[in-house]
Amino acid sequence: MRVLIYSDVHGNAEALAAMAEAAEGSYDTSLCLGDVVGYGASPNQTTQWVREHTKVVIRGNHDRACASLDGIQWFNPAAAAAARWTHAQLQPDNSAWLQGLPAGPLAWEGEYLVHGSPLDEDEYLMEAVQAAGSFAATSATCVWFGHTHVQGGFALLQSGGESRLEALRSAAEPPAPEARAGVRRFQLEPGARYLINPGSVGQPRDGDWRAGYALLHTGEGWVEFHRVPYDLEIAQRRILEAGLPPRLAQRLAAGK
Ligand code: ZN
């Protein structure tokens, strides 16, 4: 089975459309790791698409905050302003759907889905020490996480009775040609365990502005990281026209 796994769309309809077009025909089912809305100017469009096209969705901290304003006190000023704007924009049925999303962790067909980490949906899983904590917190072979907006993750490899933690390389990282082509494939090793972040569709923060997502082939045991360009200028213009903080438009171009 081929599975599209994506996260952190953040109301960016242009990036979502680019992913949908690029991935079309290459997956049998799809999973979303949360943050469908927040930051971007198209919360209803992105929610509608995710509702119609995604098999399993867990909530992110921005879905929770935008639908109910719960947790907004922990947001920085730009994120809080965007959450209030999104809260006012969301159609009642989309808001109700976001509010009804299950929090992770959620087990699905052998995959383990979380927004932040297995320990906390608000934890940023960035460093090896946090990865070690997450591996210790679950026995799952493959944990899929979002929240950091950084494509990649960690592998816990076994050899000669020893385990070794290794960072996974994304499709955003040089050397070329993989980074330029926007796709990098790796094989899941038997006995190894993984924490994998498919990247952010709508607001990447790993220095590559292109929309990020992942494909998993459960039968053949490989994962592909993908990056695809989208209509950045339209997404930026719509953020500015909505009166959202200009920084939210600027950061899209920097991928930060
Ligand atoms: Zn996010």
Side-chain angles (χ1 to χ4, degrees):
M1 181 171 50
R2 301 165 306 165
V3 190
L4 168 68
I5 306 175
Y6 68 97
S7 191
D8 297 281
V9 175
H10 282 291
N12 187 336
E14 291 71 30
L16 184 61
M19 179 194 79
E21 192 186 334
E24 193 182 357
S26 60
Y27 62 95
D28 306 304
T29 193
S30 58
L31 313 173
C32 174
L33 308 175
D35 281 2
V36 176
V37 299
Y39 296 131
S42 308
N44 286 302
Q45 291 93 317
T46 57
T47 304
Q48 209 63 46
W49 190 92
V50 174
R51 286 176 69 178
E52 287 168 14
H53 294 95
T54 311
K55 174 86 175 166
V56 177
V57 186
I58 59 168
R59 79 171 181 198
N61 55 318
H62 285 259
D63 301 321
R64 186 185 68 214
C66 292
S68 67
L69 299 180
D70 173 29
I72 199 172
Q73 68 272 25
W74 309 111
F75 279 20
N76 68 49
R84 273 189 224 97
W85 180 88
T86 302
H87 183 70
Q89 293 290 318
L90 279 172
Q91 292 161 5
D93 61 322
N94 286 333
S95 183
W97 181 82
L98 289 165
Q99 278 204 55
L101 288 176
L106 191 145
W108 181 85
E109 303 266 333
E111 310 303 320
Y112 196 74
L113 315 180
V114 304
H115 181 64
S117 85
L119 293 162
D120 184 347
E121 71 179 333
D122 291 303
E123 182 183 10
Y124 288 91
L125 201 45
M126 298 289 279
E127 308 294 337
V129 61
Q130 296 155 335
S134 286
F135 279 123
T138 167
S139 57
T141 303
C142 208
V143 176
W144 293 87
F145 70 101
H147 195 46
T148 62
H149 301 204
V150 175
Q151 191 174 57
F154 301 89
L156 191 63
L157 304 165
Q158 305 292 339
S159 58
E162 305 246 311
S163 57
R164 179 167 45 90
L165 194 67
E166 216 170 68
L168 298 173
R169 303 194 54 204
S170 78
E173 290 173 64
E178 293 95 331
R180 262 208 311 274
V183 55
R184 188 191 297 276
R185 181 186 286 199
F186 65 94
Q187 204 68 31
L188 297 170
E189 291 186 22
R193 296 172 59 204
Y194 295 88
L195 291 162
I196 308 176
N197 189 326
S200 168
V201 176
Q203 196 200 75
R205 295 179 194 162
D206 50 13
D208 185 336
W209 66 274
R210 298 173 297 176
Y213 63 94
L215 292 174
L216 161 71
H217 197 304
T218 57
E220 295 176 7
W222 52 252
V223 171
E224 277 177 358
F225 287 129
H226 284 255
R227 300 306 277 251
V228 59
Y230 68 93
D231 204 329
L232 177 67
E233 281 173 25
I234 292 183
Q236 289 180 307
R237 187 169 358 121
R238 297 195 56 221
I239 286 172
L240 297 173
E241 285 173 358
L244 287 159
R247 176 175 142 64
L248 298 178
Q250 291 152 9
R251 72 184 302 174
L252 293 182
K256 289 219 157 83

